[in-house]
Amino acid sequence: MLPDFDRHLQTYAEILLKIGLNLRAGQRLLITAVRTDGVPIEAAPLVREVVRQAYQMGSPFVEVIWGDEAVRLARFRYAPADSFAYYSSWHSEALREHTNRGDAVLNVTADNPTLLEGIDPHRLATARRAVLEHMAPYFQNVTRNVMNWLVAAAAVTGWAEKVFPDLRGEAAVDRLWDAIFQACRVYEPEPLAAWQRHIAGLKARGAYLNARRYDALRFRGPGTDLTVGLAEGHMWQGAQNTAANGVTYTANIPTEEVFTAPHARRVEGVVRATMPLNFGGVLIADFSLEFEGGRVVALRAGQNEDALRRLVETDEGAARLGEVALVPHSSPIARSGLLFYNTLFDENAASHIALGRAYRDCIAGGEKMSDEAFAAAGGNDSLEHVDFMIGSGEMDVDGLRNGVSEPVMRGGEWAFVV
Amino acid sequence: MLPDFDRHLQTYAEILLKIGLNLRAGQRLLITAVRTDGVPIEAAPLVREVVRQAYQMGSPFVEVIWGDEAVRLARFRYAPADSFAYYSSWHSEALREHTNRGDAVLNVTADNPTLLEGIDPHRLATARRAVLEHMAPYFQNVTRNVMNWLVAAAAVTGWAEKVFPDLRGEAAVDRLWDAIFQACRVYEPEPLAAWQRHIAGLKARGAYLNARRYDALRFRGPGTDLTVGLAEGHMWQGAQNTAANGVTYTANIPTEEVFTAPHARRVEGVVRATMPLNFGGVLIADFSLEFEGGRVVALRAGQNEDALRRLVETDEGAARLGEVALVPHSSPIARSGLLFYNTLFDENAASHIALGRAYRDCIAGGEKMSDEAFAAAGGNDSLEHVDFMIGSGEMDVDGLRNGVSEPVMRGGEWAFVV
């Protein structure tokens, strides 16, 4: 076991509750894993610590929905071919009711990135669509910041052995916890204060970019020349939001990004991913997308191209962008040199874009806009929201406005000072 | 690890699915722990084996609701005093919807019998009532045999260390698995055939008792002289039921009992429990109840009398009997000499009675009777159904009919041959 593991786990749980969720006394908490069947049972040490601290912070009721990758895999392997549209509404209903009431949600990510390699892609796509359709009311609450929510990670064997292929079992898990603690500032002398400083820095980046009012960003790097139009009234966000329930929170731990809404109909050019993408248990790797009028018109992938095509074909919005995010190549996570095969970490090691739904607060007033008004401003909608990494040390980014171009990033690093 | 553990676990899972649930191809399965928050995560090896086999038997969708005793305990220790009536309906709704559709339920019992010792009894009673009220629609489906359901056990540390107080951790768990496998005929050369013979034997006992048409049973032993009137049209049941969904199943593994419905208003005398009772994480021990006109009029307990009093005061039916069951003192579980502190096992080691709700099929036509007709015949109703053990090697049981008495059990053994 990692030296001082229990103490570091306590600190990590404290960061999740105080910096991430900013859980309020009297607020209920639901802990789950939204896109799978629940928090992996192997994450019990973290979950138990979060539960204890949440009650001690005055939460009146903390609930956990657990899942198990072995159970998940058994379904894909052994269930009848025509059964993959089955979904029981209890998980999605629990999330809908809970978040409609303004209660907090901790979404734990710990997926084995290759759990479902080799499974019939049609089974995967059918099951994924069922989850997304049932979870749509919850994702709408997320997208509109109805409540404080958080995505955070737990180290478990299946995932850890993919990140550290030379290690097995507990040794791999220990190394992954170490990497998570490092990325989440657990080892700082004063972790909560370090987080406050970091959040202030990200907010300053966002404020600078908001003041520039760019029409578009142009990304150039190996295999990439992509111009991403920005939505009308777009707002750069970073590190903190204030939810409709009044709580100011940080939705991802770790977070190193500032991000905003692209214009769903103004994206042109070609982009090459700089990291593989863990797409629900299969790795899409070595892939490129070509856009015209905001829409994907061509794609190719060295691995699991079929899964990428099914993603883009989910609905109209899944072929368009809903997020553009800037992360310097010197981010602590990038400096670790690790490929996490987990979007929460990899997206905070590199600039990235997302296919699918846009966040409402990335357009001024968007949380209260009608769907039509949001779409008219360029905001995208979809069942999906899938980030993938395009940044690297060779990426230049320019901001375009009224025909003038100015540097935003050079060689993957910020080209401006705040 | 126990020798051949994996193979024995496979056999055990097969018994649960083929003898217990008799799961049909095309039938969905929900695995949970009804009275707590879900199947203990430590039971994962069993759950995974059941899931795999269920899919291979043609189930289109197997779901698991998991729980964790540490999370449960944290709530009782740390949550605000006024929060214990909180309940989220997702667990009870999942069970209600699932069973209304006629799907199968596996209810896994593995509770640490002293988990909640020392917790404020008011907290426990408030939380228990919330569970029972929300679960009432599910329990009605159970009581009416709407679907095939099964209660079965898994060995986990907290429970195992109570049964084997000289052992710790894996050693205790191994011993408890061994005891469970023994009690469930896993070690028989042909376990499924052994179960079929055993079921036939229990059904023959039930048929004999049904033919006797007793008005009442009289129990006599140390501290006990209790006359239990039987409901009008009472039917003895044992080992097998046929559910409304058409499936013939065995609701408990193990099972050694034949049982029927007492008359809720015709129980007289005093009864002393012969084993402690695990009542939701506290042990009620060394206790006696006195009945007049079917109702508990006095009680005392050497340990946790307060919990016993709260149980009896839950509602009108909780002070009356809903089940009377006969189990010979030579049952394999009794012969093991173990006290399991778990009703599924202890009730199959000794004759027992239950406070609370009666099973509908213990009165002829009861599954389709109105509540009023069922009550008029003597059938009891309550939020509760709590079995406790009264049998021993010193217990005599007589059947009474038209003023004539005949021996049913002598010295805890059957006094008749079938």
Side-chain angles (χ1 to χ4, degrees):
Chain A
M1 181 164 297
L2 219 53
D4 288 326
F5 177 75
D6 290 346
R7 184 168 62 84
H8 294 315
L9 193 72
Q10 280 176 29
T11 301
Y12 178 58
E14 190 179 1
I15 291 168
L16 302 190
L17 288 168
K18 293 187 178 164
I19 299 292
L21 288 172
N22 189 18
L23 188 70
R24 306 286 77 198
Q27 199 180 21
R28 290 166 65 157
L29 172 61
L30 179 59
I31 305 174
T32 185
V34 171
R35 287 169 180 276
T36 57
D37 309 322
V39 191
I41 61 178
E42 212 192 321
L46 172 64
V47 169
R48 291 167 179 166
E49 182 59 30
V50 169
V51 168
R52 185 182 64 76
Q53 289 192 27
Y55 279 126
Q56 290 178 326
M57 288 167 69
S59 177
F61 199 22
V62 183
E63 294 172 272
V64 186
I65 294 176
W66 301 90
D68 181 51
E69 289 200 327
V71 166
R72 185 168 160 76
L73 180 57
R75 181 187 186 198
F76 285 104
R77 278 200 181 144
Y78 302 121
D82 61 356
S83 67
F84 289 89
Y86 279 124
Y87 186 88
S88 274
S89 55
W90 58 267
H91 191 185
S92 54
E93 278 300 294
L95 277 160
R96 191 182 61 82
E97 285 182 23
H98 190 89
T99 57
N100 281 353
R101 224 170 24 225
D103 297 335
V105 173
L106 170 56
N107 183 6
V108 177
T109 172
D111 316 6
N112 176 342
T114 57
L115 180 75
L116 301 176
E117 286 291 350
I119 299 293
D120 171 12
H122 182 67
R123 294 186 173 204
L124 296 180
T126 305
R128 183 181 178 91
R129 188 170 187 98
V131 172
L132 292 178
E133 285 177 351
H134 281 84
M135 286 290 181
Y138 166 71
F139 285 125
Q140 281 179 20
N141 285 345
V142 165
T143 305
R144 289 178 185 263
N145 290 310
V146 167
M147 70 296 164
N148 40 337
W149 57 276
L150 170 63
V151 183
V156 300
T157 311
W159 176 25
E161 291 181 348
K162 290 294 179 302
V163 182
F164 302 102
D166 298 336
L167 300 177
R168 277 288 158 278
E170 199 186 336
V173 172
D174 280 358
R175 272 293 285 121
L176 184 53
W177 271 125
D178 186 47
I180 292 171
F181 290 161
Q182 190 76 49
C184 298
R185 298 177 164 74
V186 168
Y187 296 146
E188 294 279 338
E190 294 183 67
L192 300 188
W195 266 101
Q196 297 298 2
R197 285 194 302 276
H198 175 59
I199 288 168
L202 287 173
K203 289 172 78 168
R205 294 274 168 209
Y208 170 92
L209 289 166
N210 277 330
R212 304 310 294 165
R213 306 304 327 147
Y214 295 128
D215 291 325
L217 297 180
R218 183 172 180 191
F219 292 84
R220 276 179 295 184
T224 292
D225 187 348
L226 185 73
T227 299
V228 178
L230 300 182
E232 293 165 31
H234 73 271
M235 298 291 292
W236 288 89
Q237 300 288 348
Q240 261 184 355
N241 300 85
T242 297
N245 67 5
V247 181
T248 296
Y249 69 105
T250 296
N252 287 182
I253 299 282
T255 184
E256 302 285 340
E257 62 178 332
V258 292
F259 61 97
T260 193
H263 194 296
R265 296 176 295 283
R266 294 203 293 112
V267 181
E268 307 288 340
V270 64
V271 63
R272 178 185 293 175
T274 52
M275 296 187 196
L277 168 64
N278 170 5
F279 182 67
V282 302
L283 278 181
I284 301 172
D286 185 21
F287 62 101
S288 297
L289 299 167
E290 190 181 337
F291 290 84
E292 281 180 21
R295 200 171 194 292
V296 173
V297 292
L299 62 83
R300 58 153 222 90
Q303 190 179 316
N304 284 311
E305 182 174 297
D306 183 72
L308 180 60
R309 180 163 292 110
R310 285 175 191 268
L311 160 59
V312 165
E313 290 173 355
T314 303
D315 53 27
E316 175 60 23
R320 299 178 182 273
L321 295 186
E323 180 182 333
V324 55
L326 301 176
V327 179
H329 189 60
S330 61
S331 101
I333 298 167
R335 279 203 309 264
S336 77
L338 294 172
L339 184 59
F340 283 83
Y341 302 105
N342 180 304
T343 299
L344 176 64
F345 290 83
D346 294 335
E347 76 167 2
N348 284 304
S351 293
H352 54 275
I353 54 183
L355 292 166
R357 195 172 53 247
Y359 289 97
R360 287 294 181 129
D361 64 350
C362 288
I363 294 182
E367 283 143 313
K368 297 191 173 158
M369 274 182 186
S370 69
D371 292 348
E372 293 71 22
F374 189 73
N380 194 23
D381 190 26
S382 168
L383 285 174
E384 289 282 9
H385 176 102
V386 177
D387 300 86
F388 61 98
M389 283 52 79
I390 64 170
S392 73
E394 297 170 280
M395 176 68 78
D396 291 338
V397 185
D398 289 287
L400 313 180
R401 182 166 32 94
N402 300 331
V404 179
S405 166
E406 59 185 45
V408 174
M409 298 187 114
R410 283 294 175 266
E413 299 301 331
W414 294 116
F416 62 89
V417 177
V418 293
Chain B
M1 184 165 296
L2 219 52
D4 287 326
F5 177 76
D6 290 346
R7 185 168 62 83
H8 294 315
L9 193 72
Q10 278 176 29
T11 301
Y12 178 57
E14 190 180 2
I15 291 168
L16 301 191
L17 288 168
K18 293 187 178 165
I19 299 293
L21 288 172
N22 189 18
L23 187 70
R24 305 287 77 199
Q27 197 179 24
R28 290 165 65 156
L29 172 61
L30 179 59
I31 305 174
T32 184
V34 171
R35 288 168 180 277
T36 57
D37 308 322
V39 191
I41 60 178
E42 213 192 321
L46 171 65
V47 170
R48 291 167 179 168
E49 182 59 30
V50 169
V51 168
R52 185 181 65 76
Q53 289 192 28
Y55 279 125
Q56 290 179 324
M57 289 168 68
S59 178
F61 199 22
V62 183
E63 293 173 272
V64 186
I65 294 176
W66 302 90
D68 181 51
E69 290 199 326
V71 166
R72 185 169 160 74
L73 180 57
R75 180 186 187 199
F76 284 104
R77 278 200 180 142
Y78 302 120
D82 61 356
S83 67
F84 289 90
Y86 279 124
Y87 186 88
S88 273
S89 55
W90 58 267
H91 191 185
S92 55
E93 279 299 296
L95 277 160
R96 190 182 62 81
E97 285 182 24
H98 190 90
T99 57
N100 280 352
R101 222 168 28 221
D103 298 335
V105 173
L106 170 56
N107 182 6
V108 177
T109 171
D111 316 4
N112 177 342
T114 56
L115 180 75
L116 300 176
E117 286 291 351
I119 299 293
D120 171 12
H122 182 67
R123 293 186 174 205
L124 297 180
T126 305
R128 182 181 179 90
R129 189 170 188 100
V131 172
L132 293 177
E133 286 177 351
H134 282 85
M135 287 288 182
Y138 166 71
F139 285 124
Q140 280 179 21
N141 285 344
V142 165
T143 306
R144 289 178 185 262
N145 291 310
V146 166
M147 70 297 166
N148 40 337
W149 57 276
L150 169 63
V151 184
V156 299
T157 311
W159 176 25
E161 291 181 349
K162 290 294 180 302
V163 182
F164 302 102
D166 298 336
L167 301 176
R168 278 287 159 276
E170 199 186 336
V173 172
D174 280 358
R175 273 292 286 120
L176 184 54
W177 271 125
D178 186 48
I180 291 172
F181 290 160
Q182 190 75 49
C184 298
R185 297 176 165 76
V186 168
Y187 297 145
E188 295 278 339
E190 294 184 66
L192 300 187
W195 266 101
Q196 297 297 1
R197 286 192 302 276
H198 175 58
I199 288 168
L202 287 173
K203 290 173 81 168
R205 293 276 167 207
Y208 171 92
L209 288 167
N210 277 330
R212 304 310 294 163
R213 306 301 329 147
Y214 294 129
D215 291 324
L217 297 179
R218 184 173 179 190
F219 292 84
R220 276 178 297 184
T224 292
D225 187 349
L226 185 73
T227 300
V228 178
L230 300 181
E232 293 164 31
H234 72 271
M235 298 291 291
W236 287 90
Q237 300 288 348
Q240 261 183 355
N241 300 85
T242 298
N245 67 6
V247 181
T248 296
Y249 69 105
T250 296
N252 288 181
I253 300 282
T255 183
E256 302 285 339
E257 62 177 332
V258 292
F259 62 98
T260 193
H263 194 297
R265 295 176 296 282
R266 294 202 295 109
V267 181
E268 307 289 339
V270 64
V271 63
R272 179 185 292 175
T274 52
M275 295 185 195
L277 167 64
N278 170 5
F279 181 67
V282 302
L283 278 180
I284 301 172
D286 185 22
F287 63 101
S288 297
L289 298 167
E290 191 181 335
F291 290 84
E292 282 180 21
R295 198 171 195 292
V296 173
V297 292
L299 62 83
R300 59 154 219 89
Q303 190 179 316
N304 285 312
E305 184 174 296
D306 183 73
L308 181 59
R309 179 163 293 110
R310 285 176 190 268
L311 160 58
V312 165
E313 291 173 354
T314 303
D315 54 26
E316 175 60 24
R320 299 178 182 274
L321 295 185
E323 179 182 334
V324 56
L326 300 176
V327 178
H329 188 61
S330 61
S331 101
I333 297 167
R335 279 203 308 266
S336 77
L338 295 172
L339 183 58
F340 283 82
Y341 303 105
N342 179 303
T343 298
L344 176 64
F345 291 83
D346 294 335
E347 76 167 4
N348 284 305
S351 293
H352 54 274
I353 52 181
L355 292 167
R357 196 171 53 245
Y359 289 99
R360 287 294 181 129
D361 64 351
C362 288
I363 294 182
E367 283 143 312
K368 297 193 172 156
M369 275 182 186
S370 69
D371 292 348
E372 293 70 22
F374 189 73
N380 195 23
D381 190 27
S382 169
L383 285 174
E384 290 282 9
H385 177 102
V386 177
D387 300 86
F388 61 97
M389 283 51 80
I390 65 171
S392 73
E394 296 170 281
M395 176 67 79
D396 291 338
V397 184
D398 290 287
L400 313 180
R401 181 165 35 91
N402 301 330
V404 179
S405 166
E406 59 185 46
V408 173
M409 297 187 116
R410 284 293 175 265
E413 301 300 332
W414 294 116
F416 62 90
V417 177
V418 293

